[in-house]
Amino acid sequence: MSKPKNAFEVFQFLDKSNCGECGEKTCLAFAGAVFLGQKKVRRCPRLSSEILERFGDEPDATGSGETSPEDRLEKLKSEITRIDLAEAAERVGAEYSGNKLTLKILGKNFSVDAKGNLTTEIHINPWVAVPFLSYILFGQGLPVAGNWVPYRELRGGRDGYPLFQKRCDEPMKRVADLYTQLFDDIVHVFGGKKVDKQFESNISVVLHPLPKVPVMICYWLPEDGLDSSLHVFFDEIADRNLDIGSVFSLGTGLAQMFTKIALRHGFDARA
Ligand code: SF4
């Protein structure tokens, strides 16, 4: 059979035990990841060979047949037309009025209507639009736990951690080293907040790319001949409010955005 037309088409065949063996915290998140082409259906060990055959061989997020962010965005928009947006707004802590679901991304309004149309006060990039829609469709809307963990400790994050460091921590560190105003921008332009220094860092800021998926950036200045360092942390429940591919996208998207901002101010932090 061809690829699933929507996440429900996959979900209906899952055993709904939320056992986590596929690397996702819930069967719903797994169904979403299969639908988006980020996971192969065979990653669920509880499916019969008949069902596996039925879905054929979808591309894996890490394989060469990766679905483009633009394709994923279109798929998610079509999926939005199938859900009750008012119910979704309640689940994920968004506002619902005028047939639109609205929530804050980096302090700015970002909305979707029942036809999947997006409206926003910021530029619509797939790196932010895909996680936004995925959060609405598949997130559990759990309250933030308050325990910060690196990407590798999120479910499904271990394998992709070296790439996450390369595309998120390292470029952000280069920006922070050159463009010292970065952390003030995070606070003033993106609605971030300086917090008590964590893990003995010199600067710690928290920002909210999605309401229940906060991100903490910690920066250590050079000291005693040691180079500076920067690490990005997520709340430990991030992997239940958002699929791991979207968490990756948020981290790497933020790094790209900060690199562009620094460049605009005359600081070239590109590798
Ligand atoms: S492996 Fe994943 S999809 Fe399969 S039953 Fe467990 S949580 Fe659900």
Side-chain angles (χ1 to χ4, degrees), residues 219-236:
Y219 182 63
W220 291 260
L221 290 162
E223 196 181 15
D224 296 336
L226 291 174
D227 195 6
S228 63
S229 59
L230 183 149
H231 292 291
V232 171
F233 297 88
F234 297 92
D235 191 86
E236 66 181 7

Side-chain angles (χ1 to χ4, degrees), residues 55-74:
F55 285 105
D57 235 3
E58 299 84 20
D60 204 302
T62 54
S64 55
E66 186 174 351
T67 315
S68 76
E70 289 75 17
D71 285 350
R72 262 183 267 160
L73 185 56
E74 288 314 309

Side-chain angles (χ1 to χ4, degrees), residues 50 83 116 136 160 239:
E50 269 171 22
I83 66 162
I136 293 165
D239 52 10

Side-chain angles (χ1 to χ4, degrees), residues 100-111:
K100 267 189 195 172
L101 178 154
T102 301
L103 52 77
K104 297 266 185 215
I105 292 189
L106 300 172
K108 309 282 191 305
N109 283 339
F110 210 104
S111 305

Side-chain angles (χ1 to χ4, degrees), residues 14-15 17-22 24 26-27 30 43-46:
L14 303 178
D15 78 359
S17 61
N18 300 329
C19 70
E21 287 175 53
C22 56
E24 296 290 344
T26 65
C27 295
F30 177 72
R43 285 274 195 104
C44 171
R46 299 178 178 218

Side-chain angles (χ1 to χ4, degrees), residues 34-128:
V34 171
F35 166 62
L36 290 173
Q38 295 172 325
K39 288 236 160 117
K40 290 184 179 181
V41 78
R42 74 168 81 101
R43 285 274 195 104
C44 171
R46 299 178 178 218
L47 289 173
S48 67
S49 52
E50 269 171 22
I51 301 295
L52 293 178
E53 241 170 65
R54 191 182 175 121
F55 285 105
D57 235 3
E58 299 84 20
D60 204 302
T62 54
S64 55
E66 186 174 351
T67 315
S68 76
E70 289 75 17
D71 285 350
R72 262 183 267 160
L73 185 56
E74 288 314 309
K75 281 180 160 192
L76 288 168
K77 283 182 178 177
S78 74
E79 191 78 345
I80 283 284
T81 63
R82 301 170 44 84
I83 66 162
D84 179 343
L85 265 191
E87 179 280 323
E90 202 172 322
R91 171 169 42 84
V92 301
E95 280 180 20
Y96 182 74
S97 76
N99 294 324
K100 267 189 195 172
L101 178 154
T102 301
L103 52 77
K104 297 266 185 215
I105 292 189
L106 300 172
K108 309 282 191 305
N109 283 339
F110 210 104
S111 305
V112 63
D113 67 18
K115 290 184 179 162
N117 298 311
L118 298 170
T119 45
T120 169
E121 294 171 350
I122 55 177
H123 182 63
I124 299 178
N125 273 315
W127 74 260
V128 74

